[in-house]
Amino acid sequence: MRIYSRILGTGSYLPAKRMTNADLAAELAQQGVETSDNWIVERTGIRARHFAADEQGCSDLATEASRRALDAAGLAAQDIDLIIVGTSTPDMVFPSVATMVQHKLGAAGCPAFDVQAVCSGFIYALTIADAMIQTGSSKRALVIGAEVFSRILDFKDRTTCVLFGDGAGAVVLEASDTPGILATDLHADGKYKDILCVPGHVNRGGILGDPVLKMDGQAVFKLAVGVLEETARASLAKANLTDADIDWLIPHQANIRIMQSTAKKLKMPADKVVVTVDQHGNTSAASIPLALDTAVRDGRIQRGQTLMLEGVGGGFTWGSVLLRY
Ligand code: ACO
């Protein structure tokens, strides 16, 4: 009999500091950088984002989201036998955020590691956890997407700094004989490295290269819309389902126009797409579990419904997870 992984509980965390577009525009203006609420809303759909406090690291956000997911699942940290974190903004070069979360939750012993697939990080992490549950090596996994992108933004570059925010989302997965995750689909193509990257890195005690986010927005836009449709269709085909079977589309929250274009290609009406980009901005690997938790907690997503989660990010990486909630 096939073993499935089912979502037992979800949780998320946003840092307290909320910046509306007007707040950000006022702050940027002091540095001579001009932007406006109008421009940001029109091109991206973003109205506000949250930024972590100076003393908060990625692992702090991830730990809070995990506590909430464990509470929702009715479990303690000691019940978990696997922790995977999708992130590109870890507290340190090493050790991983996952081991820090494990310790902060008061647990020890189970495997814990990070996955680096940028905005597809949560989709990658969920797929790996699902595979480990299917092989029997894990029974209850904590899967997290957590980011502090504010640490890698260039606040003099208005084409990128208005797009991103900080946050974390988590799910508890459990082995089950009923679905569960129905299909997963992952891809990457390294030739697109330069259209979205943070080229700087630690080298001999200093930073070599520019350690802030660089993006060719139009190239990213075109690529994202195409691959998101392909991966959604691939997961549907693997599960012998069609787009008509999807109750909720939960895409990576980068930009409302990318999400609308993808939804149109999948013939999903706008009210079946979970949108949080307006309030969270783009939180990279955290965006999908944040959106999922938001729609679970406000009662839109119900048990037994079919969800399509899909992400795309630097690398380029992309993928989807089709599941019965
Ligand atoms: N405020 C005001 N004006 C701005 C801003 C800003 N924040 N940013 C750029 N502009 C100006 C530009 O300077 C330019 O002015 P010019 O015509 O005088 O030169 C004008 O606006 C148009 O700039 P474009 O870059 O052509 O704007 P575009 O319509 O392409 O929108 C955007 C830019 C929103 C980034 C778009 O390309 C996009 O949505 N790309 C997708 C990228 C994305 O969402 N990335 C997220 C990360 S990737 C991921 O998560 C997968």
Side-chain angles (χ1 to χ4, degrees), residues 35 39 43 119 158 164 196 215 217-218 252 255 282 312:
T35 188
W39 192 95
R43 308 282 177 128
C119 304
R158 66 178 181 174
F164 296 89
L196 182 55
M215 181 178 72
Q218 286 175 10
H252 168 48
N255 181 309
N282 180 348
V312 54

Side-chain angles (χ1 to χ4, degrees), residues 19-184:
M19 299 274 286
T20 63
N21 290 343
D23 297 334
L24 186 60
E27 213 163 87
L28 293 176
Q30 288 174 10
Q31 304 167 46
V33 177
E34 198 190 318
T35 188
S36 67
D37 176 52
N38 256 353
W39 192 95
I40 302 171
V41 172
E42 212 170 89
R43 308 282 177 128
T44 72
I46 297 167
R47 294 178 185 276
R49 76 285 293 138
H50 291 247
F51 287 146
D54 287 346
E55 66 278 9
Q56 279 182 313
C58 182
S59 67
D60 296 310
L61 276 52
T63 302
E64 271 313 310
S66 299
R67 285 201 179 104
R68 293 171 189 188
L70 285 165
D71 274 356
L75 294 179
Q78 289 72 18
D79 299 323
I80 295 297
D81 61 14
L82 171 68
I83 301 173
I84 310 179
V85 179
T87 188
S88 305
T89 47
D91 299 37
M92 299 181 185
V93 172
F94 69 79
S96 67
V97 173
T99 57
M100 294 182 191
V101 170
Q102 181 192 50
H103 184 64
K104 286 177 183 178
L105 290 174
C110 77
F113 58 92
D114 292 356
V115 172
Q116 218 279 35
V118 201
C119 304
S120 313
F122 182 74
I123 295 293
Y124 267 64
L126 200 56
T127 300
I128 296 164
D130 176 50
M132 290 178 74
I133 284 176
Q134 285 193 53
T135 61
S137 65
S138 165
K139 297 244 175 305
R140 282 170 174 166
L142 182 57
V143 185
I144 306 159
E147 302 280 14
V148 281
F149 256 54
S150 59
R151 307 277 155 83
I152 53 166
L153 295 178
D154 176 357
F155 284 96
K156 291 195 176 61
D157 176 6
R158 66 178 181 174
T159 67
T160 54
C161 73
V162 300
L163 303 176
F164 296 89
D166 301 337
V171 301
V172 175
L173 280 187
E174 185 177 53
S176 165
D177 51 13
T178 55
I181 291 181
L182 303 168
T184 61

Side-chain angles (χ1 to χ4, degrees), residues 239-257:
N240 279 322
L241 295 178
T242 70
D243 36 23
D245 295 307
I246 305 171
D247 292 303
W248 292 102
L249 179 65
I250 307 169
H252 168 48
Q253 309 280 318
N255 181 309
I256 192 69
R257 293 187 302 152

Side-chain angles (χ1 to χ4, degrees), residues 207-228:
I207 302 287
L208 196 64
D210 205 354
V212 290
L213 187 144
K214 312 278 178 196
M215 181 178 72
D216 175 345
Q218 286 175 10
V220 168
F221 194 106
K222 273 189 217 133
L223 195 84
V225 174
V227 297
L228 285 172

